[in-house]
Amino acid sequence: MLDSGELDIASLCWLIPSGIAVYWVYIAVFNIFWHPLAAFPGPPIAAISTLYKAYIDLVSKSSFVHTLEKLHAQYGDVVRVGPNEIHFQSPSAYLEIYNVSNRWDKEETLYHSFGEDRSSFGFLTYDEAKERKNALSRLFSQKAIADAQALVLEKVVQLCDSFEELGPRPADLFYAYRCMSVDVITYLCFGNTVNAIEAPGYEAPIIKAMDASLPVFVGFKHSSLLKGAIMNCPPNVSKVVSPATSGLVDLQQILKAQIKDLSKNPERLRNLPHSTTIYHELLRPEAYSSKTVPSADSLYEESQALLFGGADTTGTTLMHGSFYVLTAPTVYRRLKEELISAWPVLEDAPDLCELQKLPYLTAVLKESLRMSPGVASPLPRVVPASGARIGKVFVPGGTIVEMSGHFVHRNEAIFPNPHGFIPDRWLGDEGKDLDKWLVAFSKGPRSCLGINLAWAELYLCFAYVFRKFELEIDPSSPKELKWRDCFLPEYHGPHLKARLTKVAG
Ligand code: HEM
């Protein structure tokens, strides 16, 4: 005979799992039939649980943006991709979600997965982000970047010098451009440089570590437990657990020490190599309504956000642009001709403002931004309580809505032959009309803070590399640049490589 204690344990052993199973069935049935989004088309499994997205990201290790292409082909322009989440594909929907009038919050699960919660990128609300972005705008405005172009140019020239030193050996353009953009950010924004360009083969530890950390952040998005465990690891332990990201840990230590020092002793700002670092702006109490400067942790998170926001994105765009120019002889020739005619004597280089007036170079850069998955993922926003009409559908308050710029840039009605690299589409009056569909930097109050810096790097780097060198793609390069959506794109397989021969005069 069983005593009452045994009976309780035995009962609990089946009652608890049965209770959980009934709850899950109820949630599944509710989400499919009675949820406010029940009428939106999409795979039933996505309506049931957010685990659908986790499966795509972590188990099948496919790419969410590429999965979305298939889902839209099957279900139409609006697809329910999670119990409370909708993705749109029509270009007009992009402008309805991301525009200056909408002050919608960013969605927490994604934006707090990077450990940059207290930064211009990571703040969820419009007001918090606005205050931080306002404080930084003096550094990133068009005028500020034009004034600071010499600092950017210094790194571009250093990159060109390193290409010259390679002689007939091919340069790994995937790494090389990233080295340049990391050196620009660390030097311009932090007054600190990691000299990534000088690393042998451009394989700088920081570049490899940032690359290796992309899938780790995807894991963080789906598991706050994993995020907590890794983020709170002491630096020495985390270098042993994950040697691939140790270059990042090293830079984090340098930045943390610098921030601690500057927060305690703001007078040491004078010792930095120039006066246009983020710390010169962010450590001014008068830049804030509370007259209080951000904590050292928040400053550190800001530096991470700028590093990740500004390095890979610019490097990726330069790489995609170079790939397409090198595989299209007519584009290569026309670009060279324009550069030589605007810049006939090598020693007499045009400045940024003059380069910005070159129509073909500008068209090549716009087309590079269109074809490049700078920020690959959809950018989720939370619809305010009153709900919103997006296109033909009404979306209830609290719903997560999103769209990846990829669907605007590859839309055939706006960009005929969308997979072809055709700079001419950006020329003339018709080309001007296309500008509103270039959404690489997103739109609205949460659009890119570093847009002017990015453009400066793109103009200077492209003009200098293609004017100073004859470039020839190395046969080891891939035939196509394939990527996986890890918020930023992740690349596998061989890198784009090119032989660069210095031109005379
Ligand atoms: C070609 C280069 C670049 C591209 C394609 C790009 C693209 C973008 C996009 C699409 C967003 C919106 C992200 C979102 O809504 O979650 C964004 C935001 C941001 N970008 Fe860039 N970016 C580039 C370069 C830079 C640079 C050079 C910096 C600074 C050093 C930078 C800093 C930021 C920051 C701080 C944000 C967050 C703004 C906010 O949330 O309000 N980006 N960028």
Side-chain angles (χ1 to χ4, degrees), residues 15-314:
L15 258 179
I16 292 176
S18 321
I20 292 173
V22 169
Y23 175 74
W24 275 108
V25 171
Y26 167 75
I27 292 289
V29 171
F30 176 87
N31 281 345
I32 292 181
F33 297 107
W34 304 311
H35 192 283
L37 301 185
F40 286 87
I45 186 80
I48 292 175
S49 167
T50 52
L51 288 176
Y52 170 70
K53 282 178 76 182
Y55 178 82
I56 293 169
D57 283 339
L58 303 176
V59 183
S60 75
K61 296 215 165 131
S62 48
S63 170
F64 187 54
V65 165
H66 296 103
T67 306
L68 282 168
E69 285 180 332
K70 292 180 199 146
L71 293 179
H72 281 295
Q74 187 178 349
Y75 294 101
D77 278 351
V78 187
V79 177
R80 187 179 180 195
V81 291
N84 191 35
E85 189 171 340
I86 301 174
H87 187 274
F88 291 79
Q89 79 158 351
S90 133
S92 56
Y94 193 96
L95 301 186
E96 289 179 66
I97 299 172
Y98 311 98
N99 64 60
V100 282
S101 320
N102 283 356
R103 298 177 173 184
W104 299 354
D105 287 355
K106 284 187 165 184
E107 187 276 330
E108 187 173 0
T109 318
L110 171 70
Y111 286 104
H112 280 182
S113 66
F114 303 97
E116 300 163 359
D117 307 6
R118 291 158 292 178
S119 70
S120 51
F121 171 77
F123 285 128
L124 299 180
T125 64
Y126 166 86
D127 287 335
E128 289 171 297
K130 184 170 189 301
E131 176 154 73
R132 179 63 58 87
K133 287 175 90 171
N134 281 351
L136 285 167
S137 64
R138 292 196 345 167
L139 179 63
F140 288 107
S141 70
Q142 206 167 357
K143 178 170 182 322
I145 294 299
D147 290 346
Q149 64 178 286
L151 301 180
V152 179
L153 189 57
E154 205 177 311
K155 300 299 166 195
V156 171
V157 168
Q158 216 179 322
L159 179 72
C160 291
D161 291 347
S162 75
F163 285 154
E164 227 178 307
E165 280 163 25
L166 283 179
R169 281 175 295 147
D172 183 323
L173 293 184
F174 175 90
Y175 281 145
Y177 287 139
R178 278 158 203 251
C179 286
M180 188 279 298
S181 54
V182 160
D183 281 351
V184 167
I185 305 278
T186 48
Y187 185 45
L188 177 73
C189 299
F190 315 144
N192 216 321
T193 180
V194 287
N195 286 323
I197 293 172
E198 286 168 14
Y202 303 106
E203 294 193 29
I206 178 65
I207 306 298
K208 298 189 91 174
M210 285 173 71
D211 220 20
S213 64
L214 294 180
V216 180
F217 287 126
V218 176
F220 289 175
K221 184 174 70 177
H222 297 292
S223 168
S224 46
L225 217 64
L226 176 74
K227 179 186 157 196
I230 294 192
M231 290 267 187
N232 295 322
C233 235
N236 287 344
V237 179
S238 96
K239 283 167 86 168
V240 175
V241 176
S242 171
T245 52
S246 65
L248 191 54
V249 178
D250 287 337
L251 180 62
Q252 284 168 341
Q253 294 314 300
I254 295 171
L255 291 178
K256 278 184 177 167
Q258 181 189 25
I259 289 165
K260 202 168 152 197
D261 182 46
L262 290 174
S263 298
K264 263 198 196 153
N265 313 292
E267 71 283 358
R268 296 216 182 127
L269 283 169
R270 281 197 296 270
N271 301 344
L272 294 180
H274 57 83
S275 59
T276 50
T277 74
I278 56 165
Y279 309 120
H280 284 87
E281 298 304 328
L282 296 178
L283 288 172
R284 282 187 317 115
E286 58 278 21
Y288 308 92
S289 50
S290 63
K291 307 287 177 236
T292 315
V293 299
S295 66
D297 285 344
S298 174
L299 289 174
Y300 165 71
E301 287 171 19
E302 192 63 57
S303 69
Q304 285 298 287
L306 294 174
L307 184 66
F308 274 92
D312 278 12
T313 46
T314 312

Side-chain angles (χ1 to χ4, degrees), residues 492-505:
H492 292 283
H495 287 178
L496 171 65
K497 290 188 180 168
R499 277 164 221 286
L500 295 99
T501 315
K502 180 89 191 282
V503 298

Side-chain angles (χ1 to χ4, degrees), residues 94 98 106 111 120-123 129 133 140 185 189 302 305-307 309-311 313-314 317 369 374-375 379 381 439-442 445-451 453-454 457-458 487:
Y94 193 96
Y98 311 98
K106 284 187 165 184
Y111 286 104
S120 51
F121 171 77
F123 285 128
K133 287 175 90 171
F140 288 107
I185 305 278
C189 299
E302 192 63 57
L306 294 174
L307 184 66
T313 46
T314 312
T317 309
L369 283 163
V375 176
L379 310 171
R381 302 289 187 262
V439 298
F441 298 102
S442 191
R446 302 310 298 269
S447 63
C448 182
L449 172 72
I451 181 169
L453 175 58
E457 288 182 63
L458 296 178
F487 190 71

